[in-house]
Amino acid sequence: MTAHRIPLSELERGIPFEQRHIGPDTEARAKMLAQVGYGSLEELTAAAVPDVIKDAEALALPAARSEAEVLAELRSLADRNEVLDSMIGLGYYGTFTPPVILRNVMENPAWYTAYTPYQPEISQGRLEALLNFQTMVADLTGLPTSGASLLDEGTAAAEAMALSRRVGKVKNGVFLVDADALPQTIAVIETRAEPIGVEVVVADLSEGIPAEVAERGVTGVLIQYPGASGAVRDIKPVIEQAHELGAIVTVAADLLALTLLASPGELGADIAVGTTQRFGVPMGFGGPHAGYMAVREKFARNLPGRLVGVSLDVDGNQAYRLALQTREQHIRRQKATSNICTAQVLLAVMAGMYAVYHGPQGLRSIAQRTHRYATILATGLKAGGVEVVNEAYFDTLTVRVPGRAAEIVAAAREGGVNLRLVDADQLSIACDETTTRTQLGAVWTAFGVEGDVEALDASAADTLPAALLRTDEYLTHPVFHQHRSETAMLRYLRRLADRDYALDRGMIPLGSCTMKLNGTTEMEPVTWPEFGQLHPFAPAEQAQGYLTLIRELEEQLAEVTGYDKVSLQPNAGSQGELAGLLAVRGYHRANGDEQRTVCLIPSSAHGTNAASAVMAGMKVVVVNTAEDGEIDVEDLRAKIEQHRDELAVLMITYPSTHGVFEEHVADICAQVHDAGGQVYVDGANLNALVGLAKPGRFGGDVSHLNLHKTFCIPHGGGGPGVGPVGVRAHLAPYLPNHPLQPAAGPETGVGPISAAPWGSAGILPISWAYVRLMGGEGLKQATQVAVLSANYVAKRLEPHYPVLYTGPGGLVAHECIIDLRPLTKATGVSVDDIAKRLIDYGFHAPTMSFPVAGTLMIEPTESEDLAELDRFCEAMIAIRAEIEKVGSGEWPADDNPLRNAPHTAAVLGGAWEHAYSREEAVFPAGVSAADKYWPPVRRIDQAYGDRNLVCSCPPMDVYDE
Ligand SMILES: *Cc1c(COP(=O)(O)O)cnc(C)c1O
């Protein structure tokens, strides 16, 4: 027994994390390689990846660490963050996440590993949760149509500006912003207004709209309610005045305040925007949180982002699905309402559930308590001789302490409380759900006054103006009343989660979206208080752990991509695109090339590309795709020639959205550079490149990455995301920055692209941990296995379904497109039929009809093991045989398991009059009765829902029918 002594160092390493992350083991890889026809991973990728892009050097990243080591490292980073009681306010508040929601939503893979609900039949749980969110926002804002989340309050306000411009009567007027709006909101609006030629005027609106502004024409007005200073003003007269000028009025409103104050809708607003962070979502040093937008009915069809609506399935049962704008950028491209794709679904689900759990009475009581703390605090300060500036406030006081503001902020910090320094003479103090009596005492002490909470409570009067008190009812739907006990809530969350198909059930082979493992070790730190409870504007010395992690992740991503500088601020890929294009714009303008505004985009590009280009003030010129799926080089050359002097940038995806490594890429980049243009490489497909090639080395000047695709941040059912932008040195001066945090970007930057300095900082530990756990070698292997898996699936399916495009060596990259058009033509069986039939087999469908209509794009990722890959291939092959039966006439074209898919458990009872059996319907080959996933509804009628638009919870009687 002594012959095989294993050295301690090896025993200590245990099973390396890369073996947990990568599905196929050595033996499985050998089988897969044999199927694909290569001897090793190295041989395979040597053949698949064109030489011109290959990077010979190994990634210069620290060696892989074990899960225990990485957790210990994260713990020590967390310990370097100092969590004080935050009374900074400005749109970010302490909140108590009900543990039943923390554990069963935020920390539950059934919710966080789900994909965007494009396949509504297997997404009814999160669609219902989003409908709750929409209903909550619509009720509280008093505006009937709310979307299913935007990225944050600042970008929601910028979207409102764009919407005002689209629908407003005053075409070239200014966009007028309340001087008491959140400073980061004003800055995000300014970043977004400048490239599209909107002039922003910031003015004090307390005395109405200044005459000199009114004279210039006003397209839209944005009013903060309550203001950043805390002031609660009667905004109705300004709204009326704005409407007289023909302006669209947006009110940026605090939802908690709206439980007590008259709603924006009642006051006459056209649009309401804001954040739902304080509804149970940790601050996370800036995000992620769900922004919101609600609008008057007549603007429902112009709403940016996604909207959940009610429809019917083929049996006439009520069912939910994404309405109207679903994938609208793909359809409308440069004419899209916005570039938003990934939003903030998980956080919207949490905020909606917070309202479900507390109900209207609970929310009102939290608001009243918060307000009472503020009044007690103010009364105590006034009694001590401190001047409180705002007479009417909800939760935030601004006080005047001539010359002493910094000193008091420092003293409060000593006492464990962060206040907001406004200027040398003023500071502000925000109360929230987590405020305590001790905290009030610490604030008074910092001011050198004394207060007695009990005594003040007896004497302090609430200060909300009677005329602005809310009188109408809200959250009257039963869902906000039925789940008040923890048992009921737990079961409601479980019931909804069980309706959905997420990665915890099986593979989600979505091309372009990289649904890989979201490792538990990576996820754990996200809900640690030291990461969760930091305010984005907390002093830097309290965020040392975060700042170290952020700097290291930026460096790691720069190493992986070959760029010189990375900004983590954009909170989705779409926002990274905008940031990258603004950097290109800034560069050209600095060179005196204002006329360089043409953005070349291949026809196969993701729809966000074109939408982002328009937002960056560019003109989109489409480049054709050649027969073989590659960019049409002749057409590109012609377009470059034609637009030589105006060429700003070429935006390409690499590997292309067709799933192939284009061989001409270096040459294409050179042509663009020769013409004075820049090259934007959309990095959403980086999972095919990490460790093998670097976009910053093979010709790209700028890229965005999707950390929620390549770097393991879970999709959350449609967000959160992080879309860092990487640039070469010459573009670095034009990266995003932030008015409240100089360390967040270059002084010469383009302004903030997100409300928070580092965007969705709270989820950056996930990607940091992934890189740490894998090491450079592990990351490269992940890429190689992703390529192997895609080629394995392609090879197994090829005899049954044609693979549309291949690159060098007849190989695909990390995904493959199978062409169903010939089958559809011959048999009438559609892409939809196959996608829905996959549900009966227990799968989430691949990406449908993108980038080519009538096809499926399959991306298995490195995380799926061989058994799961085979289960998928066998289901596809069995479906092919079913298609054959339709083709041969054995099953009628209008009555077969494909056309009727998906089948619910309801088929097991009642009459059965189909050409195929019940068993064939629900237990097709390979599906066990014990492990069956039952979809809750049958195929959903999309058009019916769009014709009869219902975007809030339908009344209960619908359920009774
Ligand atoms: C996902 C994706 C995007 C957009 O990213 P979001 O994070 O959803 O905004 C852009 N381009 C491509 C190719 C993508 O796959």
Side-chain angles (χ1 to χ4, degrees):
M1 291 301 288
T2 50
H4 282 73
R5 252 186 114 254
I6 303 167
L8 179 61
S9 59
E10 213 171 290
L11 291 168
E12 279 172 337
R13 186 154 193 235
I15 296 177
F17 177 76
E18 77 206 31
Q19 291 181 26
R20 305 292 189 191
H21 177 84
I22 300 176
D25 59 14
T26 317
E27 199 180 318
R29 288 179 205 180
K31 274 191 203 150
M32 292 158 70
L33 282 162
Q35 175 94 31
V36 179
Y38 288 85
S40 69
L41 284 177
E42 288 298 332
E43 258 180 49
L44 171 67
T45 43
V49 183
D51 287 332
V52 289
I53 72 159
K54 245 178 252 161
D55 208 86
E57 295 157 46
L59 289 175
L61 294 171
R65 314 273 161 92
S66 73
E67 289 174 82
E69 285 166 337
V70 169
L71 280 172
E73 275 190 85
L74 284 161
R75 170 65 21 233
S76 71
L77 284 169
D79 289 344
R80 292 172 58 199
N81 290 334
E82 199 188 342
V83 182
L84 268 60
D85 290 327
S86 177
M87 300 186 87
I88 298 171
L90 288 184
Y92 302 92
Y93 302 90
T95 179
F96 182 70
T97 311
V100 65
I101 295 175
L102 181 72
R103 177 162 291 192
N104 297 289
V105 179
M106 197 179 190
E107 298 179 338
N108 181 351
W111 288 98
Y112 70 68
T113 69
Y115 181 59
T116 307
Y118 294 132
Q119 296 290 334
E121 294 84 359
I122 55 177
S123 313
Q124 291 294 299
R126 57 194 184 278
L127 286 164
E128 178 165 326
L130 289 172
L131 205 66
N132 293 345
F133 172 88
Q134 291 179 179
T135 306
M136 167 189 91
V137 171
D139 274 20
L140 288 173
T141 59
L143 288 164
T145 310
S146 159
S149 81
L150 290 175
L151 292 165
D152 57 33
E153 176 159 351
T155 56
E159 295 289 352
M161 169 189 67
L163 175 55
S164 304
R165 189 162 172 253
R166 273 198 307 281
V167 302
K169 289 197 285 274
V170 181
K171 280 307 167 198
N172 289 308
V174 303
F175 190 73
L176 176 60
V177 181
D178 183 358
D180 206 14
L182 302 176
Q184 71 273 21
T185 295
I186 298 175
V188 172
I189 289 175
E190 284 171 341
T191 306
R192 298 263 294 252
E194 192 272 334
I196 55 172
V198 172
E199 195 181 335
V200 176
V201 174
V202 180
D204 181 354
L205 301 180
S206 48
E207 304 298 325
I209 297 173
E212 66 276 16
V213 180
E215 272 163 28
R216 296 166 64 185
V218 181
T219 301
V221 180
L222 179 127
I223 309 165
Q224 190 91 38
Y225 176 67
S229 65
V232 173
R233 301 157 294 172
D234 183 358
I235 57 175
K236 199 165 176 180
V238 188
I239 295 176
E240 279 166 5
Q241 195 192 353
H243 281 156
E244 277 159 25
L245 296 172
I248 301 289
V249 178
T250 301
V251 171
D254 179 296
L255 288 190
L256 192 63
L258 295 185
T259 64
L260 304 179
L261 292 174
S263 70
E266 189 183 330
L267 298 173
D270 303 296
I271 304 171
V273 295
T275 172
T276 59
Q277 179 268 320
R278 72 191 311 179
F279 278 28
V281 182
M283 286 185 281
F285 202 41
H289 321 124
Y292 75 80
M293 179 184 288
V295 296
R296 295 212 168 280
E297 197 152 330
K298 62 179 173 191
F299 302 137
R301 287 166 199 270
N302 293 285
L303 202 64
R306 296 188 174 114
L307 178 65
V308 175
V310 182
S311 190
L312 300 175
D313 75 358
V314 292
D315 291 337
N317 293 317
Q318 179 188 288
Y320 312 115
R321 90 285 181 248
L322 293 176
L324 306 179
Q325 296 95 334
T326 306
R327 313 232 85 179
E328 68 122 22
Q329 307 100 13
H330 285 312
I331 299 154
R332 295 169 47 88
R333 304 182 84 81
Q334 54 267 38
K335 294 191 184 69
T337 51
S338 94
N339 67 342
I340 297 210
C341 182
T342 291
Q344 301 280 20
V345 169
L346 186 71
L347 305 310
V349 169
M350 289 178 68
M353 289 302 172
Y354 179 91
V356 165
Y357 197 42
H358 287 302
Q361 298 88 340
L363 293 180
R364 196 179 294 123
S365 144
I366 291 168
Q368 284 165 335
R369 186 174 82 225
T370 302
H371 179 56
R372 179 58 57 84
Y373 274 129
T375 24
I376 291 172
L377 185 62
T379 314
L381 287 172
K382 282 190 215 161
V386 178
E387 183 192 348
V388 176
V389 177
N390 28 9
E391 271 159 48
Y393 47 83
F394 164 60
D395 61 359
T396 301
L397 313 173
T398 295
V399 299
R400 200 188 314 276
V401 279
R404 288 177 62 213
E407 171 201 325
I408 292 170
V409 168
R413 207 173 286 170
E414 284 302 306
V417 179
N418 283 328
L419 308 179
R420 174 187 171 219
L421 183 68
V422 178
D423 55 36
D425 303 326
Q426 296 188 90
L427 55 87
S428 65
I429 315 164
C431 296
D432 60 44
E433 184 189 3
T434 64
T435 302
T436 61
R437 293 176 179 215
T438 320
Q439 219 169 303
L440 299 191
V443 175
W444 283 325
T445 305
F447 280 88
V449 306
E450 280 184 33
D452 174 344
V453 173
E454 281 297 328
L456 289 166
D457 182 34
S459 66
D462 286 354
T463 69
L464 294 175
L468 286 177
L469 289 182
R470 183 153 196 158
T471 51
D472 59 333
E473 295 223 57
Y474 48 85
L475 306 184
T476 53
H477 190 275
V479 77
F480 298 107
H481 298 265
Q482 287 170 334
H483 310 293
R484 208 54 53 71
S485 80
E486 184 169 332
T487 302
M489 188 67 191
L490 178 70
R491 289 179 186 158
Y492 182 54
L493 292 173
R494 174 66 193 257
R495 180 149 52 92
L496 293 191
D498 277 356
R499 290 181 189 167
D500 286 13
Y501 186 101
L503 275 181
D504 62 337
R505 282 187 194 274
M507 76 189 283
I508 303 184
L510 272 160
S512 217
C513 284
T514 314
M515 298 293 291
K516 54 160 72 174
L517 172 76
N518 316 117
T520 315
T521 298
E522 295 150 13
M523 294 301 295
E524 273 206 335
V526 173
T527 51
W528 292 350
E530 296 85 349
F531 286 119
Q533 290 175 13
L534 241 61
H535 190 287
F537 309 142
E541 63 269 21
Q542 292 170 26
Q544 288 305 308
Y546 254 125
L547 297 179
T548 304
L549 183 144
I550 285 167
R551 185 175 34 78
E552 289 181 2
L553 182 58
E554 284 172 357
E555 287 166 7
Q556 290 159 359
L557 296 177
E559 168 61 18
V560 166
T561 55
Y563 287 113
D564 298 305
K565 191 83 192 122
V566 169
S567 166
L568 295 169
Q569 195 186 87
N571 48 13
S574 59
Q575 308 303 297
E577 291 174 16
L578 176 60
L581 292 171
L582 289 180
V584 168
R585 182 172 190 272
Y587 171 76
H588 286 315
R589 293 170 78 84
N591 291 339
D593 284 334
E594 275 88 2
Q595 83 290 356
R596 289 201 176 270
T597 57
V598 166
C599 179
L600 299 177
I601 300 184
S603 57
S604 61
H606 195 271
T608 53
N609 289 185
S612 299
V614 171
M615 289 166 67
M618 294 185 181
K619 198 173 96 200
V620 174
V621 173
V622 178
V623 181
N624 296 335
T625 302
E627 282 283 293
D628 60 3
E630 300 214 5
I631 201 166
D632 180 339
V633 182
E634 280 317 304
D635 189 47
L636 176 68
R637 195 164 318 196
K639 299 259 156 82
I640 291 175
E641 237 7 90
Q642 190 187 341
H643 300 284
R644 205 168 181 89
D645 299 329
E646 303 100 70
L647 181 60
V649 62
L650 165 73
M651 245 183 143
I652 49 170
T653 304
Y654 201 86
S656 78
T657 53
H658 290 149
V660 294
F661 289 109
E662 305 217 5
E663 297 198 72
H664 310 295
V665 67
D667 180 40
I668 287 171
C669 295
Q671 284 184 40
V672 171
H673 285 144
D674 282 350
Q678 296 283 293
V679 176
Y680 188 112
V681 179
D682 179 326
N685 287 343
L686 201 75
N687 213 46
L689 296 180
V690 178
L692 300 179
K694 300 180 175 181
R697 291 275 176 78
F698 62 69
D701 298 288
V702 45
S703 290
H704 78 269
L705 321 182
N706 301 63
L707 299 191
H708 47 299
K709 295 178 181 173
T710 315
F711 290 89
C712 297
I713 290 176
H715 257 64
V722 176
V725 56
V727 292
R728 289 185 45 214
H730 63 284
L731 296 181
Y734 315 103
L735 283 173
N737 56 11
H738 198 281
L740 302 179
Q741 179 44 278
E747 207 177 318
T748 48
V750 295
I753 211 87
S754 305
W758 287 281
S760 292
I763 50 177
L764 296 176
I766 302 170
S767 299
W768 183 94
Y770 174 59
V771 173
R772 214 62 164 183
L773 287 162
M774 296 292 277
E777 191 46 40
L779 289 174
K780 176 180 166 194
Q781 247 184 54
T783 308
Q784 291 179 310
V785 176
V787 172
L788 171 62
S789 298
N791 279 288
Y792 176 77
V793 170
K795 281 283 180 303
R796 281 211 62 188
L797 296 185
E798 204 156 36
H800 312 276
Y801 301 93
V803 171
L804 191 54
Y805 301 117
T806 53
L811 294 164
V812 298
H814 65 312
E815 56 194 9
C816 64
I817 299 178
I818 58 171
D819 192 359
L820 306 172
R821 291 169 297 187
L823 277 174
T824 302
K825 200 156 174 243
T827 65
V829 174
S830 69
V831 179
D832 256 51
D833 294 338
I834 295 171
K836 304 307 175 192
R837 184 62 175 152
L838 274 167
I839 299 172
D840 288 335
Y841 280 83
F843 284 99
H844 191 297
T847 299
M848 279 163 50
S849 293
F850 171 78
V852 184
T855 66
L856 288 176
M857 175 156 59
I858 304 164
E859 180 181 354
T861 85
E862 71 276 13
S863 295
E864 298 301 336
D865 64 21
L866 181 55
E868 185 70 356
L869 296 175
D870 280 337
R871 194 171 72 90
F872 175 73
C873 292
E874 275 143 29
M876 288 298 295
I877 293 165
I879 288 173
R880 180 67 184 82
E882 292 180 344
I883 299 170
E884 207 52 53
K885 288 192 186 176
V886 179
S888 70
E890 186 179 336
W891 284 338
D894 59 354
D895 182 20
N896 59 67
L898 292 137
R899 178 56 54 85
N900 295 337
H903 298 83
T904 57
V907 308
L908 297 174
W912 185 259
E913 288 156 1
H914 295 289
Y916 56 101
S917 72
R918 293 182 212 257
E919 286 71 22
E920 281 171 307
V922 296
F923 301 124
V927 175
S928 100
D931 298 325
K932 166 86 182 166
Y933 164 72
W934 293 100
V937 295
R938 302 231 4 239
R939 200 174 308 185
I940 296 170
D941 186 340
Q942 296 284 0
Y944 176 89
D946 282 351
R947 279 195 311 273
N948 306 280
L949 196 60
V950 175
C951 303
S952 54
C953 298
M956 278 315 268
D957 49 16
V958 182
Y959 297 86
D960 298 338
E961 271 166 22

